[in-house]
Amino acid sequence: MNDDIREKLSAYLDGALSDADRRAVEVEVDRSEELRRELEALRAVSAAVKGLPKEKLPDGFAARLESRRAREAAAPAREYFVLPPSYRPLALALSSAVVALVIWDRTVTRPDPVVPSGGWDSEKIAVKSAAEAPASIDVSGQLSSLSASAESAADEIAKKEDAGAAAGGAASTFGKKFNAPGKPLEVAEADASPSRARAGAAARRSARSPPPPPPPPRTRSKGPPRTARFSRAAKKSAPPSTSVCTRASRKRRSAWASPRSWTRTRRSRTCPPAGASS
Amino acid sequence: MTSIGSQQPVSEQDFLEQHSELVFNVALRLTGNRSDAEDLAQDALIRALRALPKFRGDSKLSTWVYTITVNTWKNRVRAEKSRGFWKTISFGAFGGDKDDDEPVYEPNGNDKPLDTDLEKEGTAAVVQKALLQLDADDRAIVVLREIEDRSYGEIGEVLGLAEGTVKSRLFRARAKLKTLLKVPS
């Protein structure tokens, strides 16, 4: 006996079937003893629930209702749980802003400080006090040496390009062999090796135009160096702390690197682990 | 005096006289005890009186009153469930704190026959106990259909369900009651 017929039995009991469905159910019930018993069981359940007595209103119901109405009319109904409705947009905006801030802070990556291959030399970077800090750092010597090495690299590329032009016979044979008739050779070369073509073009550009003048050297002329200026000790009026990477600060920063606080982990990168300076 | 759509104006007094008993009886079958039923009936009637001026007469006044009563009850069930959930969260991890005022309308999922003695408790009490085993919508469907004799369409209107859904859920509820009441088939 499937559920479709049994469901129809329930609706049949309520007189909620169409004429066709009602006749079909009657035919099925006549044919099946099981369906007949099922229909009787449903009828008994229905009669049992219908037999629940109607109750009279409890004594004093109307009076209690009136007093409750009066009470509720005197005190306006509090239909909110925590915040009144007028405050909800503000609360929503504030919570959204906090969530957005947290997401932004977690997703935006900040550049790591560049650590020399040998690690930091603590003797060189330690600043004993703000007063002893150098007024400026001249880096023009490093910049001009960088510029010179860039120029030599450009010359080398230009020489290779010239050598390639001298051996143009082989390259043109290559280009003609694999290129459609009438198609310019350079296109075939560019297709065959775009990176080499780009390198050649860059070299040609550098050969045509003189190298740009080196930028003015960066100096830090105002106040103490950054490390000392932003350290906790520098903020206090008392004599400044002795060093950026003291044993105590290393210990403190390694504690920050623990997984308890992800925000502090990033800061720990500014101080190398003990022993890296040697 | 409130004018109800195209129908005759109804005063609050008339409204209460006509509907208080109806609301109380529905509340009694939904909650299973008189004190909860009175509280629910008062709550529903106050809401109905507050909303009576806005009633446009799109449906029968009785259907509208049933809707308010059932929705008020369902809100309470939801609140009770939520309260039970938070109690479980709060105390469950610390050895459990047995709830003394367990809600009477907490649905019970099993379909085992009720362990009741018909002679001791009486048929009405057993049937009421079986009704309380149904979940909220099914119980409301059975009460509106069997006790209030409402049509499938009207029940659907009250509960916001399609007529076909009412039909199939009524069948399921009856089948469950048949098991709970140990009616042989």
Side-chain angles (χ1 to χ4, degrees), chain A residues 3 6-17 21 34 37-38 40-42 44-61 64-66 68-69 72 77 79, chain B residues 12 16 20-21 24-25 28-29 34 38-43 45-46 49-50 76 123-125 127-128 131 142 145-149 152 164 167-168 170-171 174-175 177-178 181 183-185:
Chain A
D3 273 2
R6 293 172 70 199
E7 197 174 314
K8 279 185 178 165
L9 279 182
S10 174
Y12 174 80
L13 204 65
D14 296 324
L17 288 179
D21 279 345
E34 193 183 353
R37 283 205 309 269
E38 181 72 18
E40 285 311 309
L42 288 176
V45 167
S46 179
V49 180
K50 277 187 167 80
L52 286 170
K54 290 267 182 188
E55 302 272 344
K56 292 278 177 201
L57 281 174
D59 291 338
F61 178 87
R64 283 193 292 277
L65 178 65
E66 279 310 311
R68 184 166 163 180
R69 280 186 76 192
E72 290 191 6
E79 292 185 350
Chain B
E12 286 189 352
L16 288 175
S20 290
E21 199 166 303
F24 175 72
N25 270 285
L28 181 62
R29 296 308 162 207
R34 288 180 72 87
E38 181 174 340
D39 194 42
L40 172 61
Q42 286 187 359
D43 204 356
L45 286 169
I46 288 170
L49 286 171
R50 211 181 289 151
R76 287 176 168 220
T123 312
V127 173
Q128 181 63 62
L131 267 182
V142 170
R145 175 64 214 151
E146 306 287 22
I147 298 170
E148 300 300 320
D149 203 21
Y152 287 7
K167 192 195 287 186
S168 60
L170 180 60
F171 158 68
R174 279 172 169 161
L177 285 174
K178 191 185 76 169
L181 297 171
V183 177
S185 59

Side-chain angles (χ1 to χ4, degrees), chain B residues 114-153:
Chain B
L114 293 170
D115 187 18
T116 52
D117 190 334
L118 280 176
E119 286 182 2
K120 276 185 192 167
E121 292 197 44
T123 312
V126 174
V127 173
Q128 181 63 62
K129 211 172 193 176
L131 267 182
L132 295 179
Q133 303 291 308
L134 301 177
D135 70 28
D137 271 347
D138 289 355
R139 203 184 315 168
I141 289 171
V142 170
V143 167
L144 290 173
R145 175 64 214 151
E146 306 287 22
I147 298 170
E148 300 300 320
D149 203 21
R150 299 290 127 184
S151 68
Y152 287 7

Side-chain angles (χ1 to χ4, degrees), chain A residues 4 108 120 136 173 190 204 221-222:
Chain A
D4 189 41
V108 172
W120 291 110
S136 65
T173 310
R204 279 195 294 278
S221 56
K222 289 179 185 174

Side-chain angles (χ1 to χ4, degrees), chain A residues 21-258:
Chain A
D21 279 345
R22 184 173 49 79
R23 278 194 293 273
V25 167
E26 283 169 354
V27 168
E28 289 291 326
V29 168
D30 281 345
R31 264 206 302 237
S32 164
E33 176 64 28
E34 193 183 353
L35 272 182
R36 237 190 334 271
R37 283 205 309 269
E38 181 72 18
L39 182 61
E40 285 311 309
L42 288 176
R43 199 169 271 149
V45 167
S46 179
V49 180
K50 277 187 167 80
L52 286 170
K54 290 267 182 188
E55 302 272 344
K56 292 278 177 201
L57 281 174
D59 291 338
F61 178 87
R64 283 193 292 277
L65 178 65
E66 279 310 311
S67 71
R68 184 166 163 180
R69 280 186 76 192
R71 230 177 21 246
E72 290 191 6
R78 185 172 175 264
E79 292 185 350
Y80 47 86
F81 178 60
V82 176
L83 280 175
S86 57
Y87 283 83
R88 285 176 194 165
L90 179 67
L92 182 68
L94 280 175
S95 54
S96 304
V98 168
V99 169
L101 194 65
V102 168
I103 291 171
W104 176 82
D105 196 43
R106 296 204 68 166
T107 50
V108 172
T109 53
R110 292 167 180 78
D112 288 341
V114 179
V115 180
S117 56
W120 291 110
D121 188 345
S122 61
E123 292 297 323
K124 287 184 181 173
I125 65 168
V127 178
K128 288 186 177 174
S129 73
E132 290 178 22
S136 65
I137 300 170
D138 186 5
V139 292
S140 60
Q142 286 93 326
L143 285 172
S144 47
S145 70
L146 275 173
S147 173
S149 65
E151 278 173 22
S152 68
D155 288 345
E156 204 168 321
I157 291 167
K159 278 177 193 168
K160 283 183 182 173
E161 188 71 17
D162 291 343
S172 64
T173 310
F174 177 83
K176 281 171 187 168
K177 191 173 179 182
F178 292 101
N179 209 14
K183 198 173 178 184
L185 175 60
E186 283 184 6
V187 176
E189 280 184 337
D191 288 346
S193 176
S195 63
R196 202 170 58 181
R198 274 199 298 275
R204 279 195 294 278
R205 273 200 302 275
S206 66
R208 274 199 298 273
S209 60
R218 290 184 180 181
T219 57
R220 289 178 180 155
S221 56
K222 289 179 185 174
R226 192 179 177 81
T227 47
R229 201 168 55 206
F230 286 96
S231 69
R232 288 185 180 183
K235 289 179 184 173
K236 295 178 182 173
S237 56
S241 69
T242 54
S243 166
V244 174
C245 289
T246 60
R247 181 188 281 180
S249 71
R250 279 203 185 94
K251 195 174 177 185
R252 188 168 62 246
R253 282 167 187 160
S254 70
W256 282 358
S258 68

Side-chain angles (χ1 to χ4, degrees), chain B residues 21-67:
Chain B
E21 199 166 303
L22 176 148
V23 169
F24 175 72
N25 270 285
V26 172
L28 181 62
R29 296 308 162 207
L30 291 175
T31 61
N33 69 75
R34 288 180 72 87
S35 72
D36 282 346
E38 181 174 340
D39 194 42
L40 172 61
Q42 286 187 359
D43 204 356
L45 286 169
I46 288 170
R47 280 168 192 249
L49 286 171
R50 211 181 289 151
L52 195 58
K54 294 181 206 158
F55 180 67
R56 294 169 306 190
D58 294 340
S59 59
K60 286 200 284 185
L61 185 59
S62 59
T63 308
W64 182 75
V65 173
Y66 284 129
T67 307

